[in-house]
Amino acid sequence: MQLRNLLFLLSTSLSFCKYAQSQTIKDSIEGKPLENVVIQENRFNTTLEKENKNIQVITRDQLDQLPIRSINEALSYVAGVDFRQRGPAGIQGDVSIDGGTFDETLVLINGVRVTDPQTGHNMMNLPITMDVVDHIEIIRGAAARIYGVNALTGAINFVTITPKNNHLSLSLNTGTNFKQSVETTHDYNSWGGAITGSWVHGKNSNLFSAAHNNGNGYRYNTAYSNNKAFYQGKYFTHENDYVETMAGYSYNNFGANGFYAPPGDLNSGETTYNVLGEIGYHTKLSSNWQSYPRVSYRFSQDDYRYIKNPLTARNLHKTHIFNAEWNNTIHTNTGDIGFGIEARNEHILSSNLGNHDRYNYGLSGEYKFADLGKLALTAGGYLNYNTAYGWQFFPGLDAGYSILPSLKLFTNIGTGQRLPTYTDLYYKGPSNIGNPDLTPEKADYAEGGLKYFLKNFNVTASYFYRRINDFIDWTKTDINSAWQPNNFQRINTQGFTLAANYKWSHPKNTAFKTIEIHASYTNLQPKIDKPAADNNVISLYTISNLRNQVVGTISSEIIQGLQWSVSTRYLERISYKKYFLLDSKIQYSWKNKIQIFVDATNITNVTYVEAAAAPLPGRWYNTGIQFQL
């Protein structure tokens, strides 16, 4: 019965398709060696092989191998990244790096901040679809020198594709767990579609995508609907000068059973709108001076209803963020100078949090030394002024030493800051009360390790130590009290990370033409320092970090056009059970024109919770099709 239903899903998706993704996108990204991926920092762009920081990259090839329904879910397959979902398909999820909280990681799209001063719960409401992403950069460690405030434990940058040719595509997918809904007579299911296209004229290019996903959930009051739209343009004014634009829109509407205030939120719901816009100008002011001014704007509306019908305890938040930046790189005979300035306004109008404004101004400077032989060295700092918290300075340094052409010893020292969110400061509720006296969190970070790069094989191993002072944690003194954030403790975290990638290929083979293996492991040892008088305080976040995390994916082109992958995840979370997840995906491509896939996630049907009291779906099947024009 289940097999017949799955075949029906596949045939349904086949019958609806008229157009599909062109070879253009594949041409722009396929075959790019991992070590040659260029990390998109604000002032210095460096290949992954030459970076002196612990940076992990999810390439386009890896994204195609993973059984994911949203670009957010790709982060679940990187050890050290804790993507904690409350609902499927990336509906609502929090992301953190190396044991931090969801407010301590900075999220970017092409280097543009996707900050949300209301709450980090909305940081991953991204407008981009999987089809437009070239790669994802995960920068580990405090990185204020590079990105400014809120990159306390690291940053995640989603880098999109620059198309080379004209194309138009349409794809459809559907999924189910073959279990009957408790609210309807139908099985739990999901379906979605996406359209992607580009128009290229000379050196100018335009990229757009739109997607819709819908599902009736996987348990009571978990139905969802989301839409995304994205545009990216590049227009050359001179041979090396061009205007770059970006615009995005996302809409999420979902049942929020168990998301924030269980068990009373059984009938709660939430709707979020997000708009993102950016325009920048890349120009060479002289043969040695590259300049990049840009402005960006983000609007976010978060409409949460504790009970949807009848409407009860509604929280409506509207947030406006204006950001202006000017980044520069000057090349000299002795090294490269990078400097930049930024100004940002964060305004919120909220039924619960009130009406607030704050301004942030930053000045950054870096120097990348040249002609040091086997030694590579970059040093700099970020000077910040915030109208609520005054002046702060955050220095940083990266160094690498090439022991062999393929073996490098690296170290980096970084500092960072996380500003309290408006929810931390001003929330008013019966079970949660804000604290307007909070001060920013501050982090000191040091890391050292080894990188080994060959053409088809690379390994990175590192050890880090991070100290967060004035850590903001929601706490209470007894079970009947309300949660309230405080700065009363310090978090010291030691961690070890290991990541390896291997690719073998033999085009002349008729079977097993390629084999790829990606594996990573992270061990975290957090320690909480707090006054003896506070030993009985109940903590909301600090006891739920991951301690051990192992992620592995193996994929192979079994025969021409037929590819199969298996992904495994082992997670050991502090104060929670250990659990193991198994996923698989098989896809077939015919003459680069038609691609069909079937995947299964959580094959062993494990019951587990990543956030709040929202158990995630058990076993789930998906299938879909694309035509390539």
Side-chain angles (χ1 to χ4, degrees):
M1 182 68 177
Q2 292 186 356
L3 178 60
R4 187 177 67 184
N5 289 343
L6 186 61
L7 292 173
F8 172 74
L9 290 172
L10 181 58
S11 63
T12 300
S13 63
L14 277 164
S15 66
F16 276 97
C17 294
K18 299 296 183 184
Y19 303 94
Q21 184 180 24
S22 78
Q23 188 68 9
T24 305
I25 288 182
K26 304 288 280 186
D27 287 343
S28 69
I29 51 185
E30 218 171 44
K32 181 188 294 182
L34 182 64
E35 63 272 18
N36 290 341
V37 172
V38 177
I39 305 303
Q40 307 291 318
E41 296 182 359
N42 280 336
R43 290 162 291 278
F44 299 142
N45 293 339
T46 309
T47 61
L48 181 63
E49 183 178 13
K50 295 181 179 179
E51 273 286 353
N52 296 317
K53 293 181 289 296
N54 188 357
I55 298 178
Q56 290 183 260
V57 171
I58 308 175
T59 65
R60 180 72 242 177
D61 285 344
Q62 290 173 266
L63 289 172
D64 290 337
Q65 296 162 11
L66 295 174
I68 54 179
R69 287 182 280 168
S70 75
I71 194 63
N72 301 359
E73 292 177 313
L75 300 174
S76 300
Y77 295 87
V78 179
V81 177
D82 191 6
F83 182 59
R84 306 178 64 178
Q85 297 190 85
R86 287 177 170 82
I91 290 302
Q92 202 285 312
D94 302 331
V95 64
S96 62
I97 296 176
D98 288 334
T101 69
F102 59 89
D103 287 313
E104 295 173 344
T105 297
L106 182 65
V107 177
L108 310 103
I109 300 177
N110 295 325
V112 176
R113 293 166 166 270
V114 191
T115 57
D116 197 306
Q118 178 216 330
T119 173
H121 289 314
N122 294 330
M123 206 109 69
M124 296 302 294
N125 294 338
L126 305 178
I128 51 177
T129 63
M130 287 188 289
D131 287 339
V132 301
V133 175
D134 179 83
H135 66 275
I136 306 172
E137 304 166 354
I138 297 103
I139 300 94
R140 303 170 78 154
R145 189 198 88 211
I146 303 170
Y147 297 113
V149 297
N150 287 343
L152 189 81
T153 58
I156 299 173
N157 189 21
F158 294 84
V159 180
T160 57
I161 296 163
T162 299
K164 297 179 180 179
N165 300 293
N166 300 333
H167 83 280
L168 179 66
S169 71
L170 175 67
S171 61
L172 294 174
N173 64 83
T174 186
T176 184
N177 63 354
F178 301 110
K179 294 182 179 179
Q180 192 173 85
S181 166
V182 297
E183 297 163 88
T184 69
T185 58
H186 305 291
D187 285 354
Y188 285 120
N189 61 78
S190 64
W191 65 271
I195 183 170
T196 306
S198 67
W199 179 61
V200 179
H201 178 69
K203 296 179 69 174
N204 303 322
S205 65
N206 300 268
L207 174 70
F208 68 89
S209 70
H212 172 77
N213 286 282
N214 193 78
N216 62 355
Y218 61 98
R219 59 187 179 90
Y220 178 76
N221 190 27
T222 55
Y224 66 90
S225 175
N226 71 65
N227 300 309
K228 297 177 184 289
F230 179 79
Y231 170 79
Q232 175 185 293
K234 182 180 288 188
Y235 316 102
F236 279 82
T237 58
H238 299 90
E239 183 176 357
N240 296 310
D241 299 349
Y242 60 91
V243 176
E244 189 172 64
T245 62
M246 183 171 65
Y249 166 81
S250 68
Y251 162 88
N252 283 328
N253 176 266
F254 50 89
N257 175 12
F259 278 28
Y260 307 112
D265 63 351
L266 184 67
N267 293 295
S268 65
E270 189 168 9
T271 302
T272 65
Y273 299 88
N274 294 272
V275 175
L276 177 68
E278 177 258 355
I279 183 168
Y281 186 55
H282 293 255
T283 183
K284 294 192 72 171
L285 298 179
S286 70
S287 59
N288 298 323
W289 187 348
Q290 294 177 314
S291 182
Y292 180 32
R294 70 181 171 195
V295 293
S296 62
Y297 166 75
R298 183 173 188 258
F299 169 76
S300 176
Q301 178 174 299
D302 183 359
D303 186 356
Y304 176 74
R305 306 179 182 202
Y306 184 68
I307 298 177
K308 293 185 292 186
N309 188 20
L311 177 58
T312 304
R314 181 187 187 189
N315 283 340
L316 180 62
H317 318 279
K318 296 182 179 181
T319 308
H320 301 268
I321 305 167
F322 298 89
N323 200 78
E325 304 172 68
W326 181 39
N327 290 302
N328 300 267
T329 305
I330 299 175
H331 303 281
T332 71
N333 292 331
T334 58
D336 295 339
I337 301 169
F339 69 91
I341 58 175
E342 70 163 337
R344 183 170 66 259
N345 169 246
E346 299 173 339
H347 173 73
I348 189 168
L349 179 62
S350 166
S351 62
N352 181 286
L353 307 176
N355 189 349
H356 303 279
D357 260 296
R358 64 187 181 196
Y359 292 83
N360 197 86
Y361 306 96
L363 176 64
S364 56
E366 300 176 88
Y367 188 76
K368 189 175 184 179
F369 293 83
D371 300 325
L372 297 179
K374 295 183 177 182
L375 178 67
L377 181 65
T378 303
Y382 179 80
L383 180 65
N384 184 73
Y385 176 76
N386 186 274
T387 51
Y389 303 108
W391 291 96
Q392 301 285 341
F393 179 68
F394 304 98
L397 178 146
D398 304 329
Y401 182 80
S402 297
I403 302 172
L404 298 170
S406 57
L407 181 63
K408 175 193 285 190
L409 177 69
F410 72 92
T411 185
N412 61 83
I413 299 171
T415 51
Q417 181 187 59
R418 197 273 277 190
L419 301 178
T421 65
Y422 287 130
T423 298
D424 292 332
L425 295 167
Y426 307 116
Y427 191 83
K428 300 182 292 290
S431 58
N432 298 281
I433 302 173
N435 182 357
D437 297 324
L438 289 173
T439 59
E441 298 176 344
K442 302 178 185 66
D444 300 310
Y445 181 89
E447 181 180 33
L450 287 168
K451 289 186 177 184
Y452 181 68
F453 272 94
L454 289 178
K455 183 178 180 180
N456 295 317
F457 176 67
N458 65 79
V459 178
T460 300
S462 68
Y463 166 84
F464 77 86
Y465 176 82
R466 183 183 65 227
R467 180 179 63 197
I468 299 178
N469 293 311
D470 299 322
F471 180 82
I472 299 173
D473 189 18
W474 288 75
T475 62
K476 57 184 178 181
T477 55
D478 62 74
I479 196 66
N480 297 316
S481 300
W483 294 104
Q484 185 174 44
N486 289 283
N487 287 108
F488 72 99
Q489 60 193 15
R490 172 189 294 173
I491 306 294
N492 301 320
T493 304
Q494 301 179 66
F496 172 76
T497 70
L498 178 66
N501 299 278
Y502 172 75
K503 183 175 183 178
W504 175 88
S505 61
H506 200 300
K508 295 183 179 180
N509 281 9
T510 56
F512 296 100
K513 301 171 73 66
T514 63
I515 297 175
E516 289 188 52
I517 300 173
H518 309 282
S520 54
Y521 167 69
T522 295
N523 171 265
L524 301 174
Q525 299 293 333
K527 179 182 178 182
I528 304 172
D529 289 340
K530 57 184 177 182
D534 293 317
N535 285 336
N536 295 323
V537 170
I538 303 171
S539 169
L540 182 60
Y541 293 122
T542 58
I543 61 171
S544 59
N545 299 337
L546 288 169
R547 187 183 299 280
N548 287 293
Q549 185 182 16
V550 182
V551 179
T553 298
I554 181 169
S555 66
S556 176
E557 188 175 2
I558 303 172
I559 59 174
Q560 180 70 40
L562 181 63
Q563 192 168 52
W564 176 57
S565 67
V566 176
S567 301
T568 61
R569 291 173 283 164
Y570 168 80
L571 300 101
E572 178 189 347
R573 194 176 297 280
I574 298 172
S575 299
Y576 190 63
K577 67 179 182 180
K578 307 171 185 178
Y579 56 97
F580 173 84
L581 302 173
L582 178 66
D583 312 315
S584 186
K585 180 177 182 179
I586 188 166
Q587 53 188 342
Y588 178 72
S589 179
W590 180 74
K591 295 184 178 181
N592 292 322
K593 296 291 184 181
I594 301 175
Q595 186 180 76
I596 303 170
F597 78 87
V598 176
D599 68 46
T601 56
N602 194 2
I603 293 172
T604 53
N605 205 32
V606 175
T607 299
Y608 67 103
V609 174
E610 291 182 337
L616 289 178
R619 189 181 300 114
W620 194 274
Y621 304 93
N622 292 289
T623 184
I625 189 167
Q626 291 182 331
F627 284 84
Q628 298 183 359
L629 200 57

